[in-house]
Amino acid sequence: MRGRKPKRTGKDTIMTEQKDDTTEIVSPENIEDSAATGETEADRDLDFILDIPLEVSVELGRTRMLVNDLLQLGQGSVVELTKPAGEPMEIFVNGKLFARGEAVVVNEKLGVRLTDVISPAERVKTLG
C-alpha cells in the first residue's frame, strides 16, 4: 500500500493512514476478496478512472471564410475544405490528436475505422 502506514487495531482489522490524514479501514474479508479475484490496488485505482467521460471528435477538414461568405450560405451550399479528398480524417480525444481513420457506414450510421493510432511518444510531443 503506497503512501499508507498500516496500524494493527486488533487481529480482525487493519487501519491505514493515507497521506491526506484520512483513515481507511480494511477488514480481512476485503483483503481475501481482492486476493480471490486477483484484483490488486493498482487495478482498483485504474477502475476508478475508467468511468471518466472523454470528448471524442472526428475532423473531416477545415476552412476559413469571411463573415459575409458565411452569411451567404444556405441549404444546398457547398463548403470547400482544405483537406484533399481521400486523405484520412483526424480523431481527437479531449482536443488532442489521437488517431487517423477513414469513414465507414455501420448500421446506417457513420463511423470511423482507425488506420493509424498516434504513438504515446508522439502524443507527448504535442503537449509541449
Side-chain angles (χ1 to χ4, degrees):
M1 285 185 258
R2 211 170 17 134
R4 298 177 183 177
K5 300 176 209 164
K7 286 185 182 177
R8 288 223 173 253
T9 60
K11 67 178 186 178
D12 294 337
T13 306
I14 298 173
M15 293 177 64
T16 59
E17 288 182 16
Q18 300 174 355
K19 287 182 181 179
D20 61 358
D21 294 330
T22 61
T23 302
E24 173 186 18
I25 298 176
V26 181
S27 68
E29 295 82 25
N30 292 347
I31 294 171
E32 289 170 8
D33 290 346
S34 295
T37 62
E39 187 177 274
T40 64
E41 185 174 340
D43 292 336
R44 288 188 301 272
D45 290 344
L46 184 59
D47 287 345
F48 178 71
I49 68 167
L50 293 177
D51 289 332
I52 296 174
L54 301 172
E55 179 183 321
V56 178
S57 57
V58 179
E59 185 173 286
L60 181 60
R62 294 179 182 212
T63 194
R64 293 182 66 91
M65 70 175 42
L66 300 172
V67 172
N68 185 48
D69 295 337
L70 181 68
L71 294 173
Q72 299 302 316
L73 295 176
Q75 188 171 353
S77 297
V78 176
V79 177
E80 187 176 337
L81 304 174
T82 57
K83 186 177 283 200
E87 206 165 297
M89 295 182 282
E90 295 177 326
I91 297 97
F92 293 89
V93 176
N94 284 353
K96 303 292 181 196
L97 181 62
F98 176 77
R100 291 183 181 85
E102 57 191 20
V104 294
V105 177
V106 181
N107 297 328
E108 299 181 20
K109 293 183 179 182
L110 286 176
V112 179
R113 177 182 295 122
L114 302 184
T115 57
D116 178 36
V117 176
I118 307 302
S119 73
E122 288 179 51
R123 283 183 256 160
V124 169
K125 287 179 188 175
T126 63
L127 296 176

mmCIF file of all heavy atoms in Angstrom, residues 67-107:
data_model
loop_
_atom_site.group_PDB
_atom_site.id
_atom_site.type_symbol
_atom_site.label_atom_id
_atom_site.label_comp_id
_atom_site.label_asym_id
_atom_site.label_seq_id
_atom_site.Cartn_x
_atom_site.Cartn_y
_atom_site.Cartn_z
ATOM 1 N N VAL A 67 -17.067 36.482 -42.687
ATOM 2 C CA VAL A 67 -18.425 36.529 -42.133
ATOM 3 C C VAL A 67 -19.429 36.710 -43.269
ATOM 4 O O VAL A 67 -20.477 36.049 -43.297
ATOM 5 C CB VAL A 67 -18.548 37.664 -41.085
ATOM 6 C CG1 VAL A 67 -20.003 37.849 -40.662
ATOM 7 C CG2 VAL A 67 -17.666 37.386 -39.879
ATOM 8 N N ASN A 68 -19.112 37.556 -44.224
ATOM 9 C CA ASN A 68 -20.008 37.791 -45.355
ATOM 10 C C ASN A 68 -20.282 36.494 -46.120
ATOM 11 O O ASN A 68 -21.421 36.201 -46.472
ATOM 12 C CB ASN A 68 -19.422 38.852 -46.287
ATOM 13 C CG ASN A 68 -20.385 39.213 -47.395
ATOM 14 O OD1 ASN A 68 -21.564 39.466 -47.135
ATOM 15 N ND2 ASN A 68 -19.893 39.210 -48.625
ATOM 16 N N ASP A 69 -19.225 35.690 -46.358
ATOM 17 C CA ASP A 69 -19.402 34.421 -47.069
ATOM 18 C C ASP A 69 -20.234 33.445 -46.243
ATOM 19 O O ASP A 69 -21.057 32.703 -46.777
ATOM 20 C CB ASP A 69 -18.046 33.800 -47.405
ATOM 21 C CG ASP A 69 -17.254 34.648 -48.398
ATOM 22 O OD1 ASP A 69 -17.885 35.437 -49.142
ATOM 23 O OD2 ASP A 69 -16.014 34.523 -48.412
ATOM 24 N N LEU A 70 -20.015 33.446 -44.929
ATOM 25 C CA LEU A 70 -20.776 32.575 -44.041
ATOM 26 C C LEU A 70 -22.266 32.922 -44.085
ATOM 27 O O LEU A 70 -23.129 32.046 -44.125
ATOM 28 C CB LEU A 70 -20.253 32.701 -42.606
ATOM 29 C CG LEU A 70 -20.935 31.846 -41.561
ATOM 30 C CD1 LEU A 70 -20.639 30.376 -41.780
ATOM 31 C CD2 LEU A 70 -20.521 32.277 -40.172
ATOM 32 N N LEU A 71 -22.578 34.237 -44.116
ATOM 33 C CA LEU A 71 -23.972 34.673 -44.153
ATOM 34 C C LEU A 71 -24.653 34.337 -45.479
ATOM 35 O O LEU A 71 -25.885 34.269 -45.541
ATOM 36 C CB LEU A 71 -24.050 36.173 -43.879
ATOM 37 C CG LEU A 71 -23.627 36.599 -42.466
ATOM 38 C CD1 LEU A 71 -23.570 38.119 -42.365
ATOM 39 C CD2 LEU A 71 -24.556 36.005 -41.429
ATOM 40 N N GLN A 72 -23.866 34.116 -46.524
ATOM 41 C CA GLN A 72 -24.425 33.775 -47.836
ATOM 42 C C GLN A 72 -24.781 32.291 -47.953
ATOM 43 O O GLN A 72 -25.469 31.892 -48.893
ATOM 44 C CB GLN A 72 -23.426 34.139 -48.951
ATOM 45 C CG GLN A 72 -23.062 35.602 -49.026
ATOM 46 C CD GLN A 72 -24.267 36.496 -49.237
ATOM 47 O OE1 GLN A 72 -25.129 36.205 -50.055
ATOM 48 N NE2 GLN A 72 -24.341 37.578 -48.467
ATOM 49 N N LEU A 73 -24.316 31.468 -46.998
ATOM 50 C CA LEU A 73 -24.581 30.028 -47.075
ATOM 51 C C LEU A 73 -26.049 29.735 -46.845
ATOM 52 O O LEU A 73 -26.706 30.376 -46.026
ATOM 53 C CB LEU A 73 -23.746 29.272 -46.027
ATOM 54 C CG LEU A 73 -22.231 29.301 -46.200
ATOM 55 C CD1 LEU A 73 -21.553 28.600 -45.025
ATOM 56 C CD2 LEU A 73 -21.812 28.666 -47.516
ATOM 57 N N GLY A 74 -26.542 28.778 -47.562
ATOM 58 C CA GLY A 74 -27.934 28.348 -47.404
ATOM 59 C C GLY A 74 -28.022 26.862 -47.698
ATOM 60 O O GLY A 74 -27.021 26.196 -47.986
ATOM 61 N N GLN A 75 -29.231 26.346 -47.649
ATOM 62 C CA GLN A 75 -29.440 24.933 -47.938
ATOM 63 C C GLN A 75 -28.923 24.609 -49.328
ATOM 64 O O GLN A 75 -29.200 25.329 -50.286
ATOM 65 C CB GLN A 75 -30.920 24.592 -47.840
ATOM 66 C CG GLN A 75 -31.191 23.112 -47.931
ATOM 67 C CD GLN A 75 -32.642 22.782 -47.619
ATOM 68 O OE1 GLN A 75 -33.411 23.649 -47.207
ATOM 69 N NE2 GLN A 75 -33.004 21.544 -47.813
ATOM 70 N N GLY A 76 -28.121 23.575 -49.433
ATOM 71 C CA GLY A 76 -27.549 23.172 -50.721
ATOM 72 C C GLY A 76 -26.183 23.782 -50.993
ATOM 73 O O GLY A 76 -25.520 23.395 -51.947
ATOM 74 N N SER A 77 -25.753 24.744 -50.173
ATOM 75 C CA SER A 77 -24.425 25.333 -50.346
ATOM 76 C C SER A 77 -23.355 24.287 -50.069
ATOM 77 O O SER A 77 -23.543 23.371 -49.264
ATOM 78 C CB SER A 77 -24.206 26.507 -49.391
ATOM 79 O OG SER A 77 -25.109 27.547 -49.655
ATOM 80 N N VAL A 78 -22.218 24.414 -50.724
ATOM 81 C CA VAL A 78 -21.091 23.514 -50.516
ATOM 82 C C VAL A 78 -19.951 24.313 -49.912
ATOM 83 O O VAL A 78 -19.588 25.370 -50.426
ATOM 84 C CB VAL A 78 -20.639 22.862 -51.848
ATOM 85 C CG1 VAL A 78 -19.394 22.010 -51.636
ATOM 86 C CG2 VAL A 78 -21.773 22.035 -52.442
ATOM 87 N N VAL A 79 -19.406 23.815 -48.810
ATOM 88 C CA VAL A 79 -18.266 24.450 -48.162
ATOM 89 C C VAL A 79 -17.032 23.633 -48.537
ATOM 90 O O VAL A 79 -16.937 22.446 -48.220
ATOM 91 C CB VAL A 79 -18.434 24.485 -46.631
ATOM 92 C CG1 VAL A 79 -17.210 25.079 -45.960
ATOM 93 C CG2 VAL A 79 -19.696 25.258 -46.259
ATOM 94 N N GLU A 80 -16.096 24.260 -49.224
ATOM 95 C CA GLU A 80 -14.881 23.576 -49.652
ATOM 96 C C GLU A 80 -13.882 23.533 -48.492
ATOM 97 O O GLU A 80 -13.630 24.533 -47.827
ATOM 98 C CB GLU A 80 -14.256 24.322 -50.837
ATOM 99 C CG GLU A 80 -13.096 23.594 -51.456
ATOM 100 C CD GLU A 80 -12.563 24.324 -52.683
ATOM 101 O OE1 GLU A 80 -13.307 25.109 -53.292
ATOM 102 O OE2 GLU A 80 -11.386 24.093 -53.008
ATOM 103 N N LEU A 81 -13.337 22.346 -48.256
ATOM 104 C CA LEU A 81 -12.390 22.155 -47.164
ATOM 105 C C LEU A 81 -10.960 22.114 -47.714
ATOM 106 O O LEU A 81 -10.748 21.821 -48.880
ATOM 107 C CB LEU A 81 -12.699 20.851 -46.416
ATOM 108 C CG LEU A 81 -14.116 20.744 -45.867
ATOM 109 C CD1 LEU A 81 -14.355 19.366 -45.273
ATOM 110 C CD2 LEU A 81 -14.375 21.824 -44.838
ATOM 111 N N THR A 82 -10.001 22.400 -46.850
ATOM 112 C CA THR A 82 -8.598 22.429 -47.280
ATOM 113 C C THR A 82 -8.002 21.036 -47.428
ATOM 114 O O THR A 82 -7.016 20.863 -48.128
ATOM 115 C CB THR A 82 -7.740 23.219 -46.268
ATOM 116 O OG1 THR A 82 -7.882 22.639 -44.985
ATOM 117 C CG2 THR A 82 -8.149 24.674 -46.229
ATOM 118 N N LYS A 83 -8.590 20.040 -46.809
ATOM 119 C CA LYS A 83 -8.050 18.675 -46.862
ATOM 120 C C LYS A 83 -8.448 18.016 -48.184
ATOM 121 O O LYS A 83 -9.620 18.031 -48.563
ATOM 122 C CB LYS A 83 -8.578 17.855 -45.690
ATOM 123 C CG LYS A 83 -7.938 16.470 -45.596
ATOM 124 C CD LYS A 83 -8.430 15.715 -44.392
ATOM 125 C CE LYS A 83 -7.720 16.274 -43.202
ATOM 126 N NZ LYS A 83 -7.705 15.425 -42.054
ATOM 127 N N PRO A 84 -7.476 17.416 -48.886
ATOM 128 C CA PRO A 84 -7.797 16.734 -50.151
ATOM 129 C C PRO A 84 -8.696 15.513 -49.930
ATOM 130 O O PRO A 84 -8.629 14.867 -48.879
ATOM 131 C CB PRO A 84 -6.435 16.283 -50.680
ATOM 132 C CG PRO A 84 -5.404 17.012 -49.886
ATOM 133 C CD PRO A 84 -6.048 17.403 -48.598
ATOM 134 N N ALA A 85 -9.517 15.194 -50.924
ATOM 135 C CA ALA A 85 -10.381 14.013 -50.856
ATOM 136 C C ALA A 85 -9.513 12.766 -50.747
ATOM 137 O O ALA A 85 -8.441 12.682 -51.334
ATOM 138 C CB ALA A 85 -11.261 13.944 -52.100
ATOM 139 N N GLY A 86 -9.973 11.810 -49.955
ATOM 140 C CA GLY A 86 -9.252 10.550 -49.802
ATOM 141 C C GLY A 86 -8.226 10.547 -48.678
ATOM 142 O O GLY A 86 -7.700 9.504 -48.310
ATOM 143 N N GLU A 87 -7.930 11.709 -48.129
ATOM 144 C CA GLU A 87 -6.987 11.777 -47.022
ATOM 145 C C GLU A 87 -7.702 11.384 -45.727
ATOM 146 O O GLU A 87 -8.885 11.666 -45.563
ATOM 147 C CB GLU A 87 -6.418 13.197 -46.903
ATOM 148 C CG GLU A 87 -5.056 13.210 -46.250
ATOM 149 C CD GLU A 87 -4.344 14.525 -46.446
ATOM 150 O OE1 GLU A 87 -4.061 14.871 -47.605
ATOM 151 O OE2 GLU A 87 -4.103 15.194 -45.426
ATOM 152 N N PRO A 88 -7.000 10.720 -44.809
ATOM 153 C CA PRO A 88 -7.678 10.255 -43.586
ATOM 154 C C PRO A 88 -8.194 11.398 -42.718
ATOM 155 O O PRO A 88 -7.624 12.480 -42.689
ATOM 156 C CB PRO A 88 -6.604 9.464 -42.841
ATOM 157 C CG PRO A 88 -5.319 9.747 -43.505
ATOM 158 C CD PRO A 88 -5.597 10.340 -44.841
ATOM 159 N N MET A 89 -9.283 11.103 -42.004
ATOM 160 C CA MET A 89 -9.838 12.051 -41.043
ATOM 161 C C MET A 89 -9.030 11.956 -39.766
ATOM 162 O O MET A 89 -8.370 10.949 -39.503
ATOM 163 C CB MET A 89 -11.299 11.713 -40.763
ATOM 164 C CG MET A 89 -12.187 11.880 -41.968
ATOM 165 S SD MET A 89 -13.901 11.541 -41.576
ATOM 166 C CE MET A 89 -13.874 9.774 -41.573
ATOM 167 N N GLU A 90 -9.104 12.993 -38.946
ATOM 168 C CA GLU A 90 -8.368 13.003 -37.689
ATOM 169 C C GLU A 90 -9.334 12.811 -36.530
ATOM 170 O O GLU A 90 -10.404 13.424 -36.492
ATOM 171 C CB GLU A 90 -7.585 14.302 -37.540
ATOM 172 C CG GLU A 90 -6.508 14.411 -38.618
ATOM 173 C CD GLU A 90 -5.748 15.718 -38.574
ATOM 174 O OE1 GLU A 90 -6.345 16.761 -38.239
ATOM 175 O OE2 GLU A 90 -4.559 15.690 -38.892
ATOM 176 N N ILE A 91 -8.944 11.952 -35.575
ATOM 177 C CA ILE A 91 -9.750 11.676 -34.393
ATOM 178 C C ILE A 91 -9.062 12.335 -33.205
ATOM 179 O O ILE A 91 -7.876 12.105 -32.955
ATOM 180 C CB ILE A 91 -9.898 10.152 -34.154
ATOM 181 C CG1 ILE A 91 -10.648 9.509 -35.320
ATOM 182 C CG2 ILE A 91 -10.651 9.883 -32.859
ATOM 183 C CD1 ILE A 91 -9.787 8.891 -36.329
ATOM 184 N N PHE A 92 -9.809 13.171 -32.492
ATOM 185 C CA PHE A 92 -9.279 13.895 -31.338
ATOM 186 C C PHE A 92 -9.952 13.391 -30.068
ATOM 187 O O PHE A 92 -11.154 13.117 -30.067
ATOM 188 C CB PHE A 92 -9.548 15.400 -31.481
ATOM 189 C CG PHE A 92 -8.795 16.032 -32.611
ATOM 190 C CD1 PHE A 92 -9.329 16.086 -33.888
ATOM 191 C CD2 PHE A 92 -7.531 16.573 -32.396
ATOM 192 C CE1 PHE A 92 -8.635 16.668 -34.933
ATOM 193 C CE2 PHE A 92 -6.829 17.157 -33.433
ATOM 194 C CZ PHE A 92 -7.376 17.209 -34.705
ATOM 195 N N VAL A 93 -9.193 13.276 -28.992
ATOM 196 C CA VAL A 93 -9.726 12.957 -27.679
ATOM 197 C C VAL A 93 -9.383 14.134 -26.778
ATOM 198 O O VAL A 93 -8.213 14.473 -26.621
ATOM 199 C CB VAL A 93 -9.140 11.645 -27.116
ATOM 200 C CG1 VAL A 93 -9.646 11.388 -25.709
ATOM 201 C CG2 VAL A 93 -9.487 10.476 -28.033
ATOM 202 N N ASN A 94 -10.419 14.778 -26.263
ATOM 203 C CA ASN A 94 -10.262 15.997 -25.451
ATOM 204 C C ASN A 94 -9.378 17.023 -26.162
ATOM 205 O O ASN A 94 -8.524 17.662 -25.552
ATOM 206 C CB ASN A 94 -9.721 15.673 -24.060
ATOM 207 C CG ASN A 94 -10.775 15.076 -23.166
ATOM 208 O OD1 ASN A 94 -11.942 15.009 -23.526
ATOM 209 N ND2 ASN A 94 -10.378 14.643 -21.998
ATOM 210 N N GLY A 95 -9.578 17.168 -27.466
ATOM 211 C CA GLY A 95 -8.882 18.191 -28.238
ATOM 212 C C GLY A 95 -7.469 17.822 -28.660
ATOM 213 O O GLY A 95 -6.803 18.608 -29.327
ATOM 214 N N LYS A 96 -6.992 16.625 -28.318
ATOM 215 C CA LYS A 96 -5.640 16.196 -28.675
ATOM 216 C C LYS A 96 -5.728 15.103 -29.731
ATOM 217 O O LYS A 96 -6.529 14.167 -29.612
ATOM 218 C CB LYS A 96 -4.875 15.648 -27.458
ATOM 219 C CG LYS A 96 -4.769 16.629 -26.315
ATOM 220 C CD LYS A 96 -3.880 17.779 -26.677
ATOM 221 C CE LYS A 96 -3.750 18.741 -25.513
ATOM 222 N NZ LYS A 96 -3.244 20.015 -25.882
ATOM 223 N N LEU A 97 -4.885 15.207 -30.773
ATOM 224 C CA LEU A 97 -4.887 14.213 -31.840
ATOM 225 C C LEU A 97 -4.566 12.839 -31.266
ATOM 226 O O LEU A 97 -3.564 12.655 -30.579
ATOM 227 C CB LEU A 97 -3.864 14.588 -32.912
ATOM 228 C CG LEU A 97 -3.783 13.645 -34.117
ATOM 229 C CD1 LEU A 97 -5.108 13.617 -34.873
ATOM 230 C CD2 LEU A 97 -2.651 14.075 -35.038
ATOM 231 N N PHE A 98 -5.432 11.868 -31.542
ATOM 232 C CA PHE A 98 -5.279 10.516 -31.018
ATOM 233 C C PHE A 98 -5.027 9.508 -32.138
ATOM 234 O O PHE A 98 -4.252 8.575 -31.982
ATOM 235 C CB PHE A 98 -6.537 10.125 -30.231
ATOM 236 C CG PHE A 98 -6.519 8.715 -29.729
ATOM 237 C CD1 PHE A 98 -5.768 8.380 -28.617
ATOM 238 C CD2 PHE A 98 -7.250 7.717 -30.365
ATOM 239 C CE1 PHE A 98 -5.739 7.079 -28.149
ATOM 240 C CE2 PHE A 98 -7.224 6.416 -29.913
ATOM 241 C CZ PHE A 98 -6.472 6.094 -28.799
ATOM 242 N N ALA A 99 -5.713 9.698 -33.278
ATOM 243 C CA ALA A 99 -5.605 8.725 -34.365
ATOM 244 C C ALA A 99 -6.075 9.349 -35.668
ATOM 245 O O ALA A 99 -6.594 10.464 -35.700
ATOM 246 C CB ALA A 99 -6.436 7.484 -34.044
ATOM 247 N N ARG A 100 -5.887 8.599 -36.746
ATOM 248 C CA ARG A 100 -6.425 8.961 -38.064
ATOM 249 C C ARG A 100 -7.226 7.770 -38.565
ATOM 250 O O ARG A 100 -6.963 6.632 -38.176
ATOM 251 C CB ARG A 100 -5.284 9.298 -39.023
ATOM 252 C CG ARG A 100 -4.575 10.575 -38.656
ATOM 253 C CD ARG A 100 -3.488 10.945 -39.672
ATOM 254 N NE ARG A 100 -2.828 12.170 -39.264
ATOM 255 C CZ ARG A 100 -1.814 12.231 -38.407
ATOM 256 N NH1 ARG A 100 -1.342 11.128 -37.874
ATOM 257 N NH2 ARG A 100 -1.284 13.387 -38.070
ATOM 258 N N GLY A 101 -8.199 8.037 -39.439
ATOM 259 C CA GLY A 101 -9.012 6.932 -39.917
ATOM 260 C C GLY A 101 -9.828 7.303 -41.128
ATOM 261 O O GLY A 101 -9.734 8.415 -41.655
ATOM 262 N N GLU A 102 -10.635 6.337 -41.560
ATOM 263 C CA GLU A 102 -11.464 6.532 -42.752
ATOM 264 C C GLU A 102 -12.924 6.334 -42.402
ATOM 265 O O GLU A 102 -13.255 5.569 -41.488
ATOM 266 C CB GLU A 102 -11.036 5.551 -43.854
ATOM 267 C CG GLU A 102 -11.103 4.096 -43.436
ATOM 268 C CD GLU A 102 -10.442 3.146 -44.415
ATOM 269 O OE1 GLU A 102 -9.610 3.599 -45.229
ATOM 270 O OE2 GLU A 102 -10.760 1.954 -44.366
ATOM 271 N N ALA A 103 -13.777 7.026 -43.109
ATOM 272 C CA ALA A 103 -15.214 6.962 -42.849
ATOM 273 C C ALA A 103 -15.765 5.615 -43.288
ATOM 274 O O ALA A 103 -15.364 5.062 -44.318
ATOM 275 C CB ALA A 103 -15.931 8.081 -43.583
ATOM 276 N N VAL A 104 -16.669 5.071 -42.473
ATOM 277 C CA VAL A 104 -17.369 3.832 -42.794
ATOM 278 C C VAL A 104 -18.833 4.008 -42.412
ATOM 279 O O VAL A 104 -19.185 4.910 -41.653
ATOM 280 C CB VAL A 104 -16.774 2.607 -42.042
ATOM 281 C CG1 VAL A 104 -15.359 2.312 -42.501
ATOM 282 C CG2 VAL A 104 -16.820 2.804 -40.546
ATOM 283 N N VAL A 105 -19.693 3.144 -42.941
ATOM 284 C CA VAL A 105 -21.104 3.142 -42.573
ATOM 285 C C VAL A 105 -21.370 1.848 -41.815
ATOM 286 O O VAL A 105 -21.053 0.756 -42.302
ATOM 287 C CB VAL A 105 -22.018 3.242 -43.815
ATOM 288 C CG1 VAL A 105 -23.485 3.154 -43.421
ATOM 289 C CG2 VAL A 105 -21.731 4.522 -44.579
ATOM 290 N N VAL A 106 -21.928 1.992 -40.600
ATOM 291 C CA VAL A 106 -22.233 0.840 -39.755
ATOM 292 C C VAL A 106 -23.692 0.961 -39.333
ATOM 293 O O VAL A 106 -24.065 1.913 -38.649
ATOM 294 C CB VAL A 106 -21.321 0.822 -38.500
ATOM 295 C CG1 VAL A 106 -21.627 -0.389 -37.632
ATOM 296 C CG2 VAL A 106 -19.855 0.859 -38.886
ATOM 297 N N ASN A 107 -24.516 0.003 -39.742
ATOM 298 C CA ASN A 107 -25.943 0.022 -39.399
ATOM 299 C C ASN A 107 -26.572 1.376 -39.716
ATOM 300 O O ASN A 107 -27.253 1.967 -38.885
ATOM 301 C CB ASN A 107 -26.161 -0.324 -37.922
ATOM 302 C CG ASN A 107 -25.692 -1.728 -37.583
ATOM 303 O OD1 ASN A 107 -25.769 -2.625 -38.424
ATOM 304 N ND2 ASN A 107 -25.191 -1.906 -36.383
#
